Amino acid sequence: MSMELHPVVEALAAALLLVGAFFLLVGAIGLVRLPDFFMRLHAPTKASTLGIGSFLLASMLLAATQGRAGFAELLITLFVFVTAPVSANMMAQAALHLLVPVKVAPPEDVVPERRPS
């Protein structure tokens, strides 16, 4: 069964997919090119959240044109936007606790083991 979409809807969905692909590509390049763990953690976390968000917006848009509510896409968006920053924060705290080497030293008061008594 073929369903014709309005050209404006198709163009908007395609634009959202291109924006999402761009952010995912930037995140992947940042993951490969940045020099230490903390910088590598930052790039894909921010970029992938925006990239996946754009993909899911495009999916919700297309679902709405087909008469579906897009509830699954909305839940996925919520989970990604909540879990990605929290997991990145937890990994960064663990790396600080384990004194993972960095290219630029963090401020002295950030690492609990280095705080002045």
Side-chain angles (χ1 to χ4, degrees):
M1 179 172 141
S2 175
M3 184 175 192
E4 289 291 321
L5 292 177
H6 194 275
V8 174
V9 173
E10 285 182 355
L12 187 57
L16 285 168
L17 291 174
L18 286 173
V19 167
F22 171 75
F23 279 115
L24 289 172
L25 178 65
V26 168
I29 291 170
L31 180 63
V32 171
R33 300 220 14 147
L34 291 173
D36 66 13
F37 173 79
F38 296 100
M39 291 181 195
R40 281 188 215 124
L41 181 64
H42 180 73
T45 302
K46 305 300 180 210
S48 68
T49 302
L50 291 171
I52 296 296
S54 294
F55 281 1
L56 291 168
L57 280 174
S59 181
M60 282 189 274
L61 176 68
L62 293 176
T65 61
Q66 296 174 356
R68 292 190 309 115
F71 186 67
E73 290 88 349
L74 188 62
L75 281 177
I76 293 168
T77 304
L78 175 71
F79 291 142
V80 167
F81 277 55
V82 168
T83 59
V86 171
S87 62
N89 186 8
M90 296 303 290
M91 286 188 281
Q93 286 181 1
L96 284 172
H97 179 72
L98 295 172
L99 301 176
V100 172
V102 295
K103 297 289 180 183
V104 178
E108 291 297 320
D109 61 343
V110 173
V111 183
E113 291 79 15
R114 296 184 188 163
R115 285 192 184 139
S117 302

